[in-house]
């Protein structure tokens, strides 16, 4: 290792603003927009007038529900900020954004309850290799010392948190900050630029100690700096800045800046750190594996369907340039033509003639283009740079339009919403006929339904999806089924003897025949099986029948009146009469569930599972996740519907689970009666 002077970099940059729910991300963006002159004044989130939370759903719930993009000019450079939702239910919004960003600003506060949520965010940034700055917000409300706060937050981060500033206090109140690199004090003025000041004498010792600690951490990656510290030489300030910049860019450290976004405090120092120290698009292109050359390479970060302007693909230009009317390749055979290039400021757009490497813009009307795709001007396209993998859904609604005439309209609207939010899953349940929408929590799906009803003007009915109950039998029987009808001309005649018996759980259905002597002609044996299978769609309890075998052992036919339909009817009659004697019983699906939870909440989780008729199989440390456990259990599918709500309530909003089908189990007693009564009532309706 040697000196790591990396130079100061400027140019168009893209910055993701991330952090736990209610940490102040939207407030920080609003403060940045006001400080850079992009908006005339900073609006509080409570006003409902922030640039970021501009959608009706965000205003209604007073929370960010989608990533919002805003580009500003700062000291001659273009900076694009993407405010990402903090709720875990909308976390997937950030995945496509983060991959193409140069740096992330992680907004955090001294709240122990939010450490697991912070850890989730840091983990995602680690996976993507995105450099980050931690902005310690609400510093004026923090009773603990800043270094104690860092000790609290450090477990959430694999890389060391490097204190770049310390609070400047007066009478136990934070009145500003001391920059440890510049060795300068800044006295904050609300919603205005800070006043530069000398470091007060009574703060000097604290500043020297904190600065030395910062330099020690930087020296871990710079032999020359280490020698200077050992020889008690003061390192040149430029070298210190170069080390700070280099360590930020390669992820060796996470610089920590402090402030109070609500008052605009600390924002200017954050902006200057981003401008001077954060990596640029060249580093991001290299991280993503953009091939060398002059071709334009574009990464799609977000899809928006506007009310009047059509589809917009918010995109990062990673190399080359894109002009209005450019043709971009989606694949080896598909192309799309750019129809409009726009600079974004929340819901507002300003048209541009072209965009160059580093710019983050919205490209108009790229039909067939999806969030996460990589586009290029090079003929034939390139391999995707980003792979988006939505987490398994944990909550579902069955939905239908209140008016049948809106069914086609609803389907098209949901497709557009799924383009905007690829973490939504829509499927049609063949058994129940339901349209089931799945996502990452109750609020996630509630917002989706609100968009269907508001943005698309489609009134929707929602309810919990049906559970795929089945029924089976406990004992066997031999039953004759005879269908005989004479009504002039050819009649109908079919006669079968069926041996019905149970099979082990999970065996499904098995049909055989032991017909001898042609008592049932071969051409009708298939008809018998068809009739049985038709009956099994709804057994004596009203549910599909599984795990049984039926053997056709005897029967008779009529040379003139027997037919395919007559033997199908005879089989159904035999099944209906025989099944009622076979002790039918209800089966419910049991799921294998893996619940990821902070260790401190594991006891709560192991208490929740039995209350939902579940069985704990065990729990262990979550591999690679300090302070987390994985609880394994089995749970009836009927108990999983709203499980995520209780899990997140017990874990400050961060628990998640994966569920897979395990087996079918008998359901008896009062619960079985309730299921059968509900099914009978539904059919009657």
């Amino acid at each position: 290792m040697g000196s790591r002077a990396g130079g100061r970099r400027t140019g168009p940059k893209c910055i993701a603003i991330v952090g736990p729910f209610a940490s102040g991300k939207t407030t920080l963006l609003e403060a940045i927009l006001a400080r850079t002159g992009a908006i005339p004044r900073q609006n509080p989130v409570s006003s409902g007038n922030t640039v970021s939370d501009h959608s009706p759903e965000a205003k209604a719930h007073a929370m960010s529900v989608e990533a919002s993009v805003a580009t500003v000019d700062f000291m001659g450079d273009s900076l694009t900020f993407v405010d990402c939702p903090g709720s875990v239910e909308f976390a997937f919004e950030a995945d496509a954004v983060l991959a193409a960003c140069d740096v992330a600003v992680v907004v955090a506060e001294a709240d122990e309850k939010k450490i697991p949520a912070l850890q989730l965010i840091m983990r995602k940034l680690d996976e993507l290799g995105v450099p980050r700055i931690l902005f310690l917000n609400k510093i004026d409300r923090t009773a603990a010392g800043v270094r104690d706060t860092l000790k609290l937050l450090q477990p959430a981060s694999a890389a060391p948190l490097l204190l770049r500033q310390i609070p400047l206090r007066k009478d136990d109140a934070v009145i500003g900050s001391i920059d440890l690199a510049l060795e300068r004090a800044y006295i904050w003025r609300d919603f205005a630029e800070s006043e530069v000041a000398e470091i007060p004498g009574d703060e000097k010792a604290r500043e020297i100690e904190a600065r030395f600690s910062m330099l020690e951490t930087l020296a871990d990656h710079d032999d020359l700096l280490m020698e200077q510290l050992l020889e008690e030489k003061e390192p040149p300030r430029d070298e210190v800045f170069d080390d700070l910049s280099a360590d930020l860019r390669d992820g060796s450290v996470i610089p920590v800046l402090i402030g109070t976004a609500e008052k605009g405090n600390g924002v200017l120092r954050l902006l200057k750190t981003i401008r001077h120290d954060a990596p640029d698009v060249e580093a991001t292109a290299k991280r993503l594996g953009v091939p060398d050359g002059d071709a334009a390479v574009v990464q799609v970060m977000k899809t928006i369907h506007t009310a009047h302007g059509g589809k917009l693909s918010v995109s990062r230009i990673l190399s080359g340039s894109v002009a209005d009317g450019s043709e971009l390749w989606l694949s080896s055979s598909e192309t799309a033509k750019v129809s409009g290039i726009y600079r974004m400021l929340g819901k507002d757009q300003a048209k541009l003639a072209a965009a160059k490497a580093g710019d983050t813009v919205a490209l108009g009307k790229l039909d067939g283009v999806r969030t996460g795709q990589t586009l290029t001007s090079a003929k034939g396209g390139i391999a995707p740079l980003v792979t988006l993998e939505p987490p398994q859904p944990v909550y579902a609604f069955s939905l239908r339009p209140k008016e049948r005439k809106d069914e086609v309209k609803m389907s098209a609207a949901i497709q557009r919403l799924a383009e905007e939010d690829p973490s939504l899953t829509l499927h049609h349940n063949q058994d129940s006929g339901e349209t089931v929408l799945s996502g990452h929590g109750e609020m996630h799906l509630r917002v989706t339904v609100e968009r269907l009803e508001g943005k698309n003007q489609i009134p929707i009915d929602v309810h919990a999806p049906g559970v795929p109950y089945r029924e089976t039998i406990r004992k066997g029987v031999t039953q004759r089924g005879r269908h005989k009808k004479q009504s002039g001309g050819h009649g109908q005649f079919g006669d079968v003897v069926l041996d019905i018996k149970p099979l082990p759980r999970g065996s499904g259905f098995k049909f055989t025949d032991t017909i001898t002597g042609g008592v049932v002609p071969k051409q009708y044996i298939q008809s018998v099986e068809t009739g049985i299978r038709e009956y099994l769609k709804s057994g004596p309890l009203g549910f599909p029948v599984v795990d049984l075998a039926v053997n056709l052992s005897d029967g008779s036919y009529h040379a003139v009146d027997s037919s395919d339909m007559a033997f199908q009817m005879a089989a159904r009659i035999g099944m209906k009469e025989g099944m009622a004697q076979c002790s039918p019983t209800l089966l419910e699906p049991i799921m294998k569930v893996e619940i990821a939870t902070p260790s401190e909440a594991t006891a709560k989780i192991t208490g929740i599972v039995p209350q939902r008729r579940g069985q704990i199989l065990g729990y262990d440390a979550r591999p690679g996740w300090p302070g987390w456990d994985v609880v394994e259990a089995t749970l009836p599918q009927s108990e999983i519907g709203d499980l995520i709500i209780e899990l997140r309530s017990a874990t400050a909003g961060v628990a998640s689970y994966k569920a897979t089908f395990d087996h079918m189990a008998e359901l008896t007693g009062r619960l079985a009666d309730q299921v059968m009564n509900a099914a009978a009532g539904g059919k009657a309706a």
Side-chain angles (χ1 to χ4, degrees):
M1 296 186 295
S3 177
R4 303 180 52 223
R8 318 303 293 282
R9 304 188 179 199
T10 59
K13 291 181 180 176
C14 184
I15 306 99
I17 302 178
V18 296
F21 176 68
S23 56
K25 299 175 296 300
T26 298
T27 301
L28 177 60
L29 177 59
E30 194 75 4
I32 288 169
L33 298 178
R35 185 55 53 87
T36 56
I39 57 175
R41 66 181 179 279
Q42 178 178 339
N43 292 303
V45 170
S46 59
S47 71
N49 293 319
T50 61
V51 168
S52 186
D53 289 347
H54 54 77
S55 73
E57 297 79 28
K59 292 179 180 181
H61 299 292
M63 63 183 292
S64 298
V65 297
E66 61 189 322
S68 185
V69 184
T71 299
V72 303
D73 294 315
F74 178 67
M75 298 179 68
D77 288 326
S78 173
L79 302 178
T80 298
F81 292 89
V82 187
D83 178 17
C84 299
S87 167
V88 69
E89 296 194 27
F90 301 95
F92 188 71
E93 274 279 314
D95 283 21
V97 170
L98 289 170
C101 283
D102 301 319
V103 68
V105 173
V106 182
V107 184
E109 58 183 301
D111 186 345
E112 194 169 11
K113 293 178 182 178
K114 293 184 179 180
I115 300 299
L118 182 62
Q119 191 175 7
L120 289 177
I121 293 161
M122 292 294 202
R123 182 86 179 193
K124 175 59 68 175
L125 294 170
D126 283 338
E127 290 173 5
L128 297 171
V130 179
R132 71 218 70 161
I133 298 165
L134 192 141
F135 183 75
L136 187 53
N137 194 24
K138 308 177 187 178
I139 195 69
D140 58 335
R141 303 182 201 168
T142 305
V146 69
R147 279 180 285 187
D148 288 338
T149 299
L150 249 62
K151 288 178 184 176
L152 177 72
L153 300 179
Q154 184 62 67
S157 174
L161 301 177
L162 181 73
L163 198 57
R164 172 79 184 263
Q165 299 170 316
I166 59 173
L168 179 62
R169 298 179 184 273
K170 183 178 181 181
D171 299 329
D172 294 329
V174 178
I175 63 167
S177 67
I178 298 173
D179 191 295
L180 300 177
L182 288 167
E183 296 186 279
R184 195 177 294 165
Y186 293 88
I187 299 172
W188 290 336
R189 295 184 295 176
D190 293 354
F191 310 109
E193 191 170 337
S194 301
E195 177 187 336
V196 182
E198 292 294 322
I199 298 173
D202 57 353
E203 295 279 6
K204 192 64 181 173
R206 194 164 65 92
E207 183 271 335
I208 291 172
E209 182 185 355
R211 175 178 165 80
F212 186 78
S213 178
M214 178 188 77
L215 295 176
E216 275 189 315
T217 302
L218 294 176
D220 288 341
H221 308 282
D222 187 340
D223 289 342
L224 179 58
L225 178 57
M226 180 65 77
E227 290 175 16
Q228 291 167 336
L229 293 182
L230 291 172
E231 295 172 6
E232 297 185 358
K233 291 181 179 179
E234 180 63 28
R237 185 171 291 172
D238 284 350
E239 289 185 15
V240 173
F241 277 116
D242 286 343
D243 274 343
L244 283 166
S245 181
D247 285 357
L248 165 62
R249 291 198 301 271
D250 65 21
S252 302
V253 301
I254 300 173
V256 178
L257 304 177
I258 63 173
T260 300
E262 192 175 40
K263 300 175 182 176
N265 300 148
V267 170
L268 187 58
R269 299 313 310 162
L270 173 64
L271 285 167
K272 288 186 175 181
T273 299
I274 291 168
R275 181 177 184 268
H276 293 305
D277 297 344
D280 59 11
V281 70
E282 290 180 8
T284 302
K286 183 178 180 181
R287 167 167 57 82
L288 291 174
V290 174
D292 295 332
D294 298 326
V297 175
V298 177
Q299 185 62 36
V300 181
M301 306 165 79
K302 180 175 172 59
T303 302
I304 304 170
H305 287 278
T306 66
H308 305 293
K311 180 179 176 179
L312 295 176
S313 300
V314 179
S315 306
R316 184 85 195 280
I317 314 300
L318 295 171
S319 68
S321 61
V322 176
D324 197 0
S326 296
E327 186 176 62
L328 297 174
W329 289 78
L330 287 68
S331 66
S332 59
S333 58
E334 295 177 278
T335 62
K337 187 176 181 180
V338 176
S339 180
I341 301 176
Y342 305 92
R343 172 171 161 149
M344 303 285 291
L345 188 69
K347 68 177 186 289
D348 298 325
Q349 303 125 32
K351 195 161 188 179
L352 304 172
K356 63 182 183 298
D359 287 338
T360 304
V361 293
L363 303 178
K365 300 178 181 176
L366 293 179
D367 294 334
V369 172
R370 302 185 306 277
T371 297
Q373 280 191 305
T374 306
L375 315 177
T376 179
S377 60
K379 188 174 181 179
I382 63 171
L385 300 176
V386 176
T387 301
L388 291 182
E389 296 182 359
Q392 186 186 73
V394 293
Y395 197 79
F397 280 156
S398 174
L399 45 80
R400 64 185 176 204
K402 291 185 177 179
E403 299 184 31
R404 292 195 65 178
K405 66 180 180 65
D406 286 334
E407 285 181 357
V408 174
K409 186 179 176 183
M410 184 187 80
S411 178
I414 291 175
Q415 286 185 328
R416 288 193 298 271
L417 290 176
E419 271 197 82
E420 293 182 323
D421 181 359
S423 68
L424 289 170
T425 303
L426 185 74
H427 77 276
H428 183 74
N429 188 316
Q430 296 290 345
D431 284 345
S432 65
E434 295 174 309
T435 297
V436 180
L437 182 70
S438 304
H440 304 295
E442 182 187 27
M443 182 62 73
H444 184 208
L445 295 191
R446 189 190 303 174
V447 165
T448 302
V449 171
E450 287 171 1
R451 285 173 175 158
L452 282 172
E453 295 192 317
K455 188 176 180 181
N456 296 279
Q457 299 295 301
I458 306 170
I460 300 291
D461 279 329
V462 300
H463 56 87
V467 175
Y469 292 103
R470 297 290 184 262
E471 61 179 274
T472 191
I473 55 176
R474 292 195 183 104
K475 66 179 185 180
V477 72
T478 296
Q479 178 67 44
R480 179 177 291 276
R482 178 185 283 259
H483 176 63
K484 183 177 180 181
K485 191 172 183 182
Q486 193 71 41
S487 56
H490 286 313
Q492 297 178 34
F493 182 83
D495 178 34
V496 297
V497 176
L498 304 176
D499 303 321
I500 307 169
K501 63 179 182 180
L503 289 178
R505 196 76 66 241
S507 301
F509 167 64
K510 184 178 180 181
F511 173 78
T512 56
D513 77 273
T514 52
I515 294 298
T516 58
V519 292
V520 175
K522 285 185 178 180
Q523 69 264 32
Y524 297 138
I525 292 176
Q526 180 63 49
S527 305
V528 173
E529 181 178 356
T530 299
I532 293 170
R533 288 186 180 276
E534 187 65 28
Y535 171 81
L536 294 180
K537 291 179 181 178
S538 180
L541 305 182
F543 298 90
V545 186
V546 295
D547 301 341
L548 80 166
V550 179
N551 178 62
L552 173 62
S553 60
D554 200 358
S556 62
Y557 74 103
H558 188 280
V560 175
D561 292 345
S562 287
S563 65
D564 168 75
M565 186 56 65
F567 271 97
Q568 284 191 39
M569 287 297 297
R572 287 184 208 163
I573 291 168
M575 289 299 295
K576 183 177 181 181
E577 294 177 354
M579 286 287 291
Q581 306 171 52
C582 291
S583 296
T585 185
L586 191 64
L587 297 176
E588 66 172 341
I590 305 296
M591 311 297 284
K592 174 79 174 292
V593 180
E594 292 184 356
I595 303 168
T597 174
S599 302
E600 62 190 22
T602 299
K604 293 181 184 176
I605 302 304
T606 56
I608 289 170
V609 170
Q611 293 172 4
R612 291 175 174 263
R613 299 191 292 123
Q615 181 179 356
I616 300 290
L617 301 179
Y619 63 90
D620 206 345
R622 189 179 186 185
W625 286 73
W628 283 68
D629 289 333
V630 174
V631 177
E632 293 189 351
T634 54
L635 273 164
Q637 185 175 335
S638 62
E639 299 286 348
I640 289 181
D642 61 353
L643 173 66
I644 193 64
I645 298 173
E646 193 170 5
L647 294 181
R648 288 184 175 151
S649 176
T651 60
V654 297
S656 61
Y657 74 81
K658 294 179 181 178
T660 54
F661 173 76
D662 194 70
H663 65 279
M664 300 295 288
E666 285 192 25
L667 180 64
T668 58
R670 181 176 54 84
L671 289 175
D673 292 341
Q674 290 174 353
V675 169
M676 289 185 285
N677 290 338
K683 289 177 182 177

